Amino acid sequence: MKFFIIWALGFLFWPQKQVEWGFYAHSMINRQAVYSLPPELIQFYKPHLQFIEENAVNPDRRRYAVVGEAEKHYIDLDHYGDSALFILPKYWPEAIEKIPEDSLRAHGIGPWSAYLTMLSLTKAFEQKNTAAILRLSADLGHYLGDLNVPLHTTKNYNGQLTGQEGIHGFWESRVPELQAKDYSFWVGKAAYVEKPQLAIWDAVAYAHAQVDSVLTIEKQLTTDFPEDQKFSFEERNGLTVRVYSKEFTEAFTFALDNQIERQMKRSIKMIADFWFTAWVNAGQPDLNSLSDSTLVEEEKTTPDPKIKVRSHDNLN
């Protein structure tokens, strides 16, 4: 436990441009999802809880190293107009028939990609491949968590189109960092999802409906707070950095009526449901025979400077 606390604190102050929900939130979301699983699954996942937490951030690291990774984390619904949720095909094969694949990827393929990851997890369960189950579970948790973030559903993902640069990291990193310790994360037991791909789109639609409130409230509060009260300075990794102040963060959270806590809880429930559904669809294999001590090789990623990804820095 002492090791995990030290490790988690180290990642809490990882450079913000390398994370999305924020490592702290992604880790917490994956962890809490495990506790919503039925006994048949929790006895498999719990011994590997540290892996599920530590590797929650792998897809973010991969964004800087693997071509084709970055677009798996979002979808710019507003690029397709007000009727995007009605005109976009819900399944990938139909989508690439209707819209050129390079165009789809340019504006994010999150909903389709998350479903394909779930299908891969189902296959891993069928094969009783411990390493693949763990890697894909951590990845799927990350992708589903991202798709529950309102700013992952809009081309104005960092407020860069409205003069609100930094709002992305503020919403998903700074707020949970300061307040998640007070959140209530029990979401009930995992349930079977009849139509996972459609459930993903429902989650994206729910998140997207909150984009306007996120942007409008931050803009209004900015007019109410002088700049020296909106921001403050903290020491991180030996450097003094500018961050959103605790007072501004609290006002933002209050005005949003705890939206971020609700979206984190929706992420937790969705992840647990999808892990459970993948297992059921695989025929509910008995995982008791799988070793608790299986060593999963650490994913190694080397950033490629040629790969350009969206910046989600807290502040510019």
Side-chain angles (χ1 to χ4, degrees):
M1 184 65 183
K2 182 179 179 182
F3 167 79
F4 174 72
I5 291 173
I6 295 172
W7 164 83
L9 287 174
F11 269 94
L12 176 59
F13 298 112
W14 195 264
Q16 290 295 331
K17 70 177 182 179
Q18 295 196 23
V19 295
E20 291 181 6
W21 251 114
F23 172 80
Y24 179 72
H26 268 306
S27 172
M28 184 176 293
I29 287 169
N30 270 11
R31 177 186 180 89
Q32 293 299 322
V34 170
Y35 291 111
S36 287
L37 295 172
E40 299 93 332
L41 283 180
I42 200 170
Q43 64 187 4
F44 168 78
Y45 277 92
K46 197 169 181 182
H48 301 291
L49 191 57
Q50 183 172 320
F51 180 93
I52 294 295
E53 292 176 300
E54 289 183 4
N55 290 275
V57 77
N58 278 356
D60 276 339
R61 293 185 178 129
R62 220 177 286 139
R63 291 168 60 222
Y64 299 88
V66 179
V67 173
E69 172 64 34
E71 57 261 36
K72 296 179 180 180
H73 299 243
Y74 66 91
I75 183 169
D76 297 336
L77 285 180
D78 39 11
H79 167 76
Y80 300 97
D82 294 338
S83 301
L85 290 165
F86 299 98
I87 66 174
L88 285 173
K90 299 301 185 287
Y91 292 90
W92 183 245
E94 289 82 359
I96 58 177
E97 282 186 8
K98 183 174 182 179
I99 303 171
E101 183 173 346
D102 58 349
S103 179
L104 288 169
R105 289 183 177 276
H107 303 288
I109 59 171
W112 300 291
S113 180
Y115 179 61
L116 294 177
T117 301
M118 182 194 167
L119 295 181
S120 295
L121 177 59
T122 302
K123 187 170 184 178
F125 274 124
E126 290 174 349
Q127 298 172 342
K128 294 188 177 182
N129 184 332
T130 300
I133 292 170
L134 294 174
R135 284 197 299 266
L136 290 164
S137 293
D139 281 0
L140 182 58
H142 185 107
Y143 296 137
L144 294 177
D146 279 350
L147 293 174
N148 278 279
V149 175
L151 293 171
H152 278 258
T153 70
T154 173
K155 58 187 177 183
N156 192 21
Y157 54 89
N158 196 29
Q160 76 281 3
L161 303 180
T162 49
Q164 296 172 274
E165 290 85 348
I167 192 172
H168 192 119
F170 176 45
W171 191 100
E172 63 183 10
S173 294
R174 180 62 170 168
V175 173
E177 173 191 321
L178 291 179
Q179 301 187 347
K181 65 183 183 299
D182 298 320
Y183 292 169
S184 173
F185 282 132
W186 175 242
V187 296
K189 291 297 183 181
Y192 183 77
V193 181
E194 291 287 345
K195 298 180 179 180
Q197 179 71 97
L198 299 185
I200 292 172
W201 282 102
D202 287 344
V204 169
Y206 187 88
H208 187 64
Q210 301 175 74
V211 171
D212 284 347
S213 62
V214 171
L215 295 169
T216 301
I217 287 172
E218 194 277 345
K219 186 173 285 291
Q220 179 58 52
L221 287 175
T222 296
T223 65
D224 297 338
F225 276 71
E227 184 160 331
D228 62 347
Q229 294 179 26
K230 178 179 179 180
F231 301 108
S232 60
F233 292 89
E234 293 182 359
E235 292 293 325
R236 297 192 174 202
N237 294 331
L239 299 174
T240 300
V241 296
R242 189 171 74 147
V243 296
Y244 290 90
S245 70
K246 293 181 180 179
E247 294 75 17
F248 188 84
T249 301
E250 290 172 357
F252 183 66
T253 302
F254 180 79
L256 282 175
D257 191 24
N258 299 309
Q259 176 196 87
I260 297 168
E261 178 181 359
R262 289 197 305 275
Q263 289 305 105
M264 287 184 73
K265 292 177 73 171
R266 287 177 67 87
S267 297
I268 292 166
K269 182 63 165 65
M270 189 174 189
I271 292 164
D273 289 349
F274 272 59
W275 289 345
F276 174 63
T277 300
W279 175 70
V280 171
N281 289 348
Q284 302 183 47
D286 182 1
L287 305 178
N288 288 330
S289 61
L290 301 185
S291 173
D292 292 346
S293 60
T294 299
L295 293 177
V296 183
E297 185 176 350
E298 182 179 352
E299 181 176 335
K300 296 179 175 61
T301 54
T302 302
D304 183 347
K306 296 179 181 178
I307 297 177
K308 304 300 180 184
V309 300
R310 293 180 169 186
S311 173
H312 297 156
D313 289 359
N314 273 359
L315 300 171
N316 289 338

